[in-house]
Amino acid sequence: MKKFYETETLFADTGDRKIAYRSYGKGKTIIFVNRFRGTLDTWDPLFITMMAKRFNVITFDYSGIGSSGGTMAPDIAIVAKDIKDLADCLKLGTFIVLGWSYGGLVAQAATLLYPNLVTHAILLGTNPPGKNEVPFEQAFLGCRAKTHQ
């Protein structure tokens, strides 16, 4: 198995944008859904390495973040479509989602919107869906963390 730092960044062409992703290991697919503005490089390498011993771990950059094209959507349901579009491009049947922080909200949305695709949702340090008592500030949403074009 390739080491974390040896894994190539690939791109899934959805037609209107390219989603950057990496794939590690073999087995049932688990898509890691990152924190707000997290990129392919913000996951813990040891965590990915250990999970890749039993699963095909796929990490990705949201549209408009990191190496992915497009624009980051302000609506979590639209962001969750990145997961479906990536799965469609990779011809995945079903998969597990693992959401961390903001990614947990996105993973929950994907689980509800695409129940025929998502078999399990693992949520790490996240909130339940619905209205937040303290809404996101526009300044927080407006900044882009684009590292590559």
Side-chain angles (χ1 to χ4, degrees):
M1 178 171 58
K2 286 186 180 181
K3 296 190 189 293
F4 177 81
Y5 54 85
E6 297 172 335
T7 304
E8 180 182 6
T9 300
L10 303 170
F11 294 88
D13 189 345
T14 68
D16 62 343
R17 69 198 183 293
K18 291 185 179 178
I19 298 175
Y21 74 95
R22 293 183 188 141
S23 182
Y24 312 86
K26 293 185 177 164
K28 174 89 174 141
T29 299
I30 183 167
I31 298 177
F32 281 23
V33 188
N34 216 335
R35 65 177 175 81
F36 191 72
R37 287 201 209 114
T39 66
L40 293 167
D41 297 320
T42 56
W43 288 103
D44 182 320
L46 180 58
F47 183 55
I48 289 176
T49 300
M50 297 306 289
M51 292 294 288
K53 289 182 179 184
R54 296 195 54 206
F55 297 95
N56 170 32
V57 174
I58 295 176
T59 60
F60 72 99
D61 286 342
Y62 297 116
S63 293
I65 300 293
S67 296
S68 289
T71 303
M72 179 73 171
D75 185 312
I76 288 176
I78 296 170
V79 177
K81 191 171 180 304
D82 278 354
I83 298 170
K84 180 189 182 307
D85 291 347
L86 178 61
D88 288 348
C89 285
L90 299 179
K91 297 182 179 6
L92 300 176
T94 58
F95 51 86
I96 300 165
V97 289
L98 180 145
W100 168 34
S101 188
Y102 171 84
L105 296 172
V106 178
Q108 290 174 76
T111 301
L112 293 171
L113 292 169
Y114 312 110
N116 56 325
L117 299 176
V118 179
T119 62
H120 299 79
I122 302 166
L123 307 173
L124 307 171
T126 193
N127 290 331
K131 184 174 186 217
N132 284 322
E133 291 300 315
V134 179
F136 288 122
E137 292 291 330
Q138 185 56 44
F140 183 72
L141 294 171
C143 294
R144 291 187 60 185
K146 194 80 166 163
T147 58
H148 304 315
Q149 291 293 2

